Amino acid sequence: MFTTSLSSSHSTNTSFFKRPLLTAMTAALFASIGLAGCSSSTDSELDDSKKENKTADAASNDAVSVTTIDVDTVKGKVSLPINPSPVVVYDMTLMQDLAALDVAVDGMPSSLHLDNLQSKKQPDPKEVGTVFEPDLEALNAMQPQAILVGSRMAEKYNALSSIAPTLDMSIDTANIYDSSKQRLHDLGALFGKSDQALRLQQNIDGLIEQTQVLTKNKGNGLVVMVNGNKLSAYGDKSRFGFVHTVLGVPMVDNKIEDARHGQPVSFEYLQKTNPDWLFVLDRSAAIGEDSVGAKAVLDNPLVAQTTAWKKDQVVYLSPDSYLAFGGYYQWMQDLTTIKTAFSNAK
């Protein structure tokens, strides 16, 4: 009733009251919108700030994760900074793989008898003992971030690990291909050279495939080591087992005992087993000893009766196969030698 009375008899006053009311309502509406906008903007800025903080935290975490690495070793996982320096290496296979990866080694043993043991770009490394006995005083002076060892120095692991993180990266001779492949991969990851490690492995794999084609159905074989006038034979679980397990050359004798220095055999044994192929390691030459060469030792009437000798199918393996077995250069040298020999088979 009150509203109807104002509308019918006081039109001028009604207009007067409507304008201030409309103005007030409009102002309130804009104020409300403004407050909502400020609130929305503030919330958005807070959200953005939180996102930035989370991104920064993630970046920080990523930075930490990419500067350290866990390496699987014979003794379990070892956590190290990527590209540790200084680094000391006591194993010739590791030295050759690192040289192939162009990684500088700061300390290594003296009196080594192989080539390709260090990167061509690096300065001469410091001497830190021999491959059998570390110089603990020299190591303490160097304070290395990492010490890498293989089979010959593995027994000194406890003494070395008391000085610096030590990685026992000994190759499993019974599974030499997979073991050496994993180790090359791990070295690439540890020193930031994964792409280069992959390329090196592709070189090895390509040469293996080419050689496998040639060795297939070409007869059996026997691996022997000549040490002075003594002979020893090696089976498929030895450091020379790749001839049988990787290249597929059947063993002429499946009962060869598994021993670090092989099973002692005689010239009569060679004549009796009569291998189609004879793979020979001259140990004296490999370790730098003066001795009658393996070829002269094997040149006798009993060995001359074997198919391998008659058909000139005697393959001389590299010193690397004895001192740096499973390394990049050993694979490339011995595979090339074996590939060439089977290519020329009559």
Side-chain angles (χ1 to χ4, degrees):
M1 293 292 292
F2 180 74
T3 306
T4 304
S5 172
L6 287 174
S7 298
S8 57
S9 55
H10 301 285
S11 60
T12 305
N13 290 337
T14 301
S15 296
F16 175 81
F17 284 114
K18 280 185 177 178
R19 287 194 184 99
L21 179 61
L22 180 61
T23 302
M25 291 176 64
T26 303
L29 178 62
F30 281 123
S32 173
I33 293 172
L35 288 172
C38 289
S39 174
S40 175
S41 176
T42 303
D43 290 344
S44 177
E45 288 173 3
L46 287 172
D47 288 342
D48 289 343
S49 177
K50 289 178 181 177
K51 288 178 182 177
E52 288 175 4
N53 288 338
K54 287 181 179 178
T55 302
D57 290 342
S60 177
N61 289 336
D62 287 344
V64 171
S65 66
V66 298
T67 56
T68 61
I69 187 172
D70 288 333
V71 182
D72 284 321
T73 74
V74 175
K75 304 291 186 181
K77 286 187 178 180
V78 178
S79 182
L80 285 173
I82 287 182
N83 203 21
S85 180
V87 63
V88 171
V89 182
Y90 279 102
D91 177 74
M92 281 183 272
T93 307
L94 288 167
M95 293 174 204
Q96 288 197 341
D97 280 350
L98 291 174
L101 290 169
D102 200 25
V103 172
V105 173
D106 303 287
M108 64 173 58
S110 58
S111 303
L112 302 176
H113 301 286
L114 289 181
D115 298 323
N116 303 310
L117 291 175
Q118 62 188 66
S119 168
K120 295 178 174 59
K121 298 178 182 178
Q122 75 172 74
D124 288 336
K126 295 180 180 178
E127 294 185 1
V128 287
T130 70
V131 291
F132 298 104
E133 192 64 40
D135 184 338
L136 299 181
E137 186 176 343
L139 284 175
N140 273 307
M142 282 189 69
Q143 288 296 298
Q145 274 196 315
I147 301 173
L148 278 57
V149 302
S151 56
R152 289 179 177 84
M153 188 61 81
E155 64 184 42
K156 304 290 185 179
Y157 178 85
N158 290 337
L160 294 171
S161 59
S162 67
I163 296 173
T166 301
L167 285 70
D168 182 353
M169 303 183 78
S170 299
I171 284 180
D172 178 10
T173 56
N175 192 18
I176 194 166
Y177 172 77
D178 288 335
S179 183
S180 64
K181 180 178 181 178
Q182 183 63 49
R183 189 159 81 167
L184 183 57
H185 169 274
D186 291 344
L187 289 174
L190 177 59
F191 290 96
K193 300 274 189 173
S194 291
D195 290 344
Q196 193 165 344
L198 178 60
R199 288 194 295 272
L200 295 177
Q201 189 61 51
Q202 289 172 339
N203 292 343
I204 294 170
D205 291 344
L207 200 47
I208 286 175
E209 291 175 6
Q210 295 169 25
T211 308
Q212 286 172 332
V213 172
L214 296 169
T215 58
K216 188 175 182 179
N217 300 322
K218 291 291 181 66
N220 58 42
L222 177 68
V223 180
V224 296
M225 181 169 71
V226 178
N227 184 17
N229 289 317
K230 298 178 181 179
L231 304 177
S232 55
Y234 286 84
D236 57 355
K237 293 180 175 59
S238 71
R239 72 191 75 181
F240 308 106
F242 73 94
V243 170
H244 308 296
T245 60
V246 177
L247 300 182
V249 178
M251 294 174 62
V252 70
D253 179 6
N254 292 318
K255 297 179 181 179
I256 297 173
E257 296 176 3
D258 183 24
R260 182 168 185 172
H261 295 291
Q263 173 185 308
V265 296
S266 63
F267 296 117
E268 288 80 5
Y269 171 83
L270 297 184
Q271 186 238 354
K272 181 180 178 181
T273 55
N274 189 26
D276 297 312
W277 291 86
L278 197 58
F279 302 88
V280 182
L281 185 279
D282 188 336
R283 181 181 181 277
S284 297
I287 64 176
E289 287 184 350
D290 291 330
S291 179
V292 179
K295 187 174 290 188
V297 172
L298 293 173
D299 189 4
N300 68 67
L302 291 172
V303 178
Q305 295 177 42
T306 65
T307 300
W309 195 269
K310 290 176 181 177
K311 298 180 72 173
D312 196 22
Q313 294 181 167
V314 180
V315 182
Y316 293 90
L317 301 175
S318 70
D320 304 71
S321 65
Y322 181 66
L323 297 173
F325 53 92
Y328 176 73
Y329 290 105
Q330 186 262 314
W331 278 118
M332 297 302 289
Q333 291 183 75
D334 285 329
L335 288 170
T336 299
T337 299
I338 295 170
K339 176 187 172 184
T340 301
F342 277 82
S343 296
N344 296 331
K346 299 174 183 177

